[in-house]
Amino acid sequence: MSRTRRKLTTIFCADVQDYSRLMGKDEEGTLAALKRSRDAMARLIEAHEGRVVNTWGDGLIAEFPSVVEAVRAAIDVQNELAGLNAGRPSEARMDYRIGINLGDVIADGDDLYGDGVNIAARLQGSAPAGGIVISSTVYDQVRNKLAVGFEFLGALTVKNIDGGVPSFAVQIGAVEGPGLPEASGGWGRQGAPSDRENLAADTGAEGVPAGGLSRTDRRIFGVLGVAAAGVVAINFASWEGEFWARWPLFAFALIAVLRQISGLTQFDRGLALLGAVGSAAVAVNLLSWEGRFWAIWPVLGIAVAAGIRWAVRGSAR
């Protein structure tokens, strides 16, 4: 009998976008393409020291002892499959979606079970065609180790997981290389804007457009903008010689900056937060000016803290 045990591992889930439609149009051709793509995927997974745990229909689950190698394997898979798709008409493309999670799972013989696997499957279901979505546990391990970009997608709602799972899209084309096409700005190599919009509507995942802000950020900044305009209007409508609206405007601006910092993926959030605190101190000093620039002292302290953090991070790398 197989022995059941728990372990921490990196789970890699993949499936084919619109597989049922492809089978409906051409069963034999789709099956042949599935075998070719699955053989290529298995080879690349093994090359990155992973193992295929299970396959079913168009789906595949693999595990990796290394988080970095799991993401590298996913990038290599999407690049190679993009090449296999190059000669196929757009309606016959076989594009995979990949989700990766680092979590504690139940190992029963060669099979894996538990929330760690379920989260990886949910991430995969939220990826666009040709794209990769990873959990925050994976992102924390790879963000400074791979020459690719990441986009924060917000918290993904997952059954039995309170608060959702913060997730990131891997921008496969973010770094150019020999034989690779230029970055498209999407989640994956082939993710068109319409694909991303349909995906967000179907799964509830929060897409981030190539231009920058997510839908949630746009809503938050829109509310802050309306509130700021309302406060200024009230101040002028009840004018008594003082522009008291400067304080709520400062608070709104601070909220917007902190929201942006929370979504940073390409810059140290700690350094950004220190910079925001320093700027806030200067702003408070100027808004309440009484002839003395007292903010110089907190700014100097913050500059020293930022320098120490930068040096420590540099030596850790």
Side-chain angles (χ1 to χ4, degrees), residues 9-128:
T9 191
T10 309
I11 306 100
F12 171 116
C13 283
D15 81 344
V16 179
Q17 175 83 3
D18 292 335
Y19 180 70
S20 297
R21 177 185 61 80
L22 293 172
M23 286 294 285
K25 291 177 68 70
D26 180 6
E27 288 186 349
E28 293 185 0
T30 298
L31 182 58
L34 178 67
K35 289 181 178 179
R36 285 194 299 271
S37 61
R38 184 165 287 172
D39 287 345
M41 194 178 302
R43 171 173 48 79
L44 291 168
I45 288 171
E46 183 177 353
H48 287 276
E49 302 180 348
R51 75 173 182 95
V52 175
V53 175
N54 203 348
T55 60
W56 71 99
D58 63 314
L60 177 147
I61 293 180
E63 70 163 335
F64 293 79
S66 166
V67 185
V68 173
E69 291 303 317
V71 179
R72 283 177 175 164
I75 294 170
D76 286 350
V77 163
Q78 294 293 32
N79 284 334
E80 181 150 337
L81 296 183
L84 293 178
N85 276 322
R88 299 173 65 88
S90 58
E91 66 276 7
R93 294 177 59 88
M94 182 162 285
D95 291 313
Y96 276 81
R97 305 175 298 178
I98 298 176
I100 304 176
N101 179 46
L102 171 64
D104 190 81
V105 300
I106 298 172
D108 184 8
D110 291 334
D111 289 330
L112 301 177
Y113 303 93
D115 285 340
V117 178
N118 295 337
I119 291 172
R122 187 71 175 85
L123 293 168
Q124 165 251 298
S126 297

